[in-house]
Amino acid sequence: MNNTLSENFMNNGLEPGDIRKGTVTSVEDFGAYVDTDGQEGLIPLLELSWRPFQHPSEVLQSGQKVTVLVIDVNKERRSISFSLKALEPDPLVVFSREMLGQSTRGRVTQLTPLGAFVEVSDGLEGLLLSTPGPKGGGQASLKAGDEIQVTVARVNVHNRRIALLET
């Protein structure tokens, strides 16, 4: 390894936990590269956004100015990892604080052997639990795209799961 390159990398002043401003230099299938004052690092896919997306270009564009959190500096490999989403509140936590026990409208996104999945907030889906009795069992008549009224029964932030009941 070139000593000058190694010294420059080691003197970059970046430490995990630092927040830096930078510019997106390229968007790839596996994430986006960001330059922060001459030090380029990668925002991997999982660190781009809390919201679902198909390709990183839906989140970032080359030339875009961003603020990132330094999550890793590997001096041996001379690599830097950044996070964009770590600087934003987790929408599932926000949703759980506001909606736990509340009734809301949602759109059925898919039907599976487990049950119906319902989008209850932008990018957040919950599983509609089957309930016994006169109100229960209505899932058989549901189809993707249906708008229904549900109650947020449980939210497990750690496992990223939302349990819903028919309202």
Side-chain angles (χ1 to χ4, degrees):
M1 171 173 11
N2 181 322
N3 282 342
T4 305
L5 288 175
S6 179
E7 286 175 23
N8 286 342
F9 184 83
M10 294 180 75
N11 293 327
N12 65 18
L14 292 176
E15 296 289 332
D18 288 352
I19 297 174
R20 297 292 174 102
K21 293 195 180 291
T23 304
V24 177
T25 57
S26 69
V27 178
E28 308 294 337
D29 291 341
F30 50 84
Y33 286 101
V34 174
D35 181 278
T36 60
D37 296 324
Q39 295 294 320
E40 191 173 61
L42 176 69
I43 305 174
L45 287 176
L46 292 175
E47 295 298 328
L48 281 170
S49 178
W50 290 107
R51 303 284 179 218
F53 59 90
Q54 296 297 314
H55 190 271
S57 61
E58 296 172 33
V59 180
L60 294 172
Q61 302 298 316
S62 289
Q64 183 176 342
K65 303 291 185 200
V66 293
T67 302
V68 294
L69 174 72
V70 179
I71 56 174
D72 185 51
V73 178
N74 187 317
K75 293 177 181 174
E76 290 77 38
R77 290 186 312 174
R78 295 185 311 145
S79 67
I80 303 167
S81 296
F82 297 125
S83 177
L84 196 59
K85 80 176 189 180
L87 297 176
E88 299 177 0
D90 180 344
L92 186 59
V93 172
V94 173
F95 177 83
S96 69
R97 286 184 191 137
E98 296 172 358
M99 296 303 298
L100 187 60
Q102 301 296 314
S103 179
T104 188
R105 292 205 52 80
R107 183 181 53 83
V108 176
T109 57
Q110 62 179 320
L111 301 171
T112 71
L114 290 175
F117 283 88
V118 179
E119 184 176 37
V120 289
S121 184
D122 185 28
L124 295 178
E125 291 182 336
L127 177 61
L128 182 60
L129 303 174
S130 185
T131 55
K135 290 185 95 179
Q139 290 188 37
S141 64
L142 292 177
K143 61 187 179 308
D146 285 352
E147 291 280 331
I148 62 171
Q149 193 73 22
V150 295
T151 299
V152 180
R154 291 187 308 273
V155 178
N156 183 321
V157 175
H158 179 72
N159 291 325
R160 308 208 59 78
R161 303 278 190 260
I162 300 171
L164 306 169
L165 296 172
E166 294 177 83
T167 302

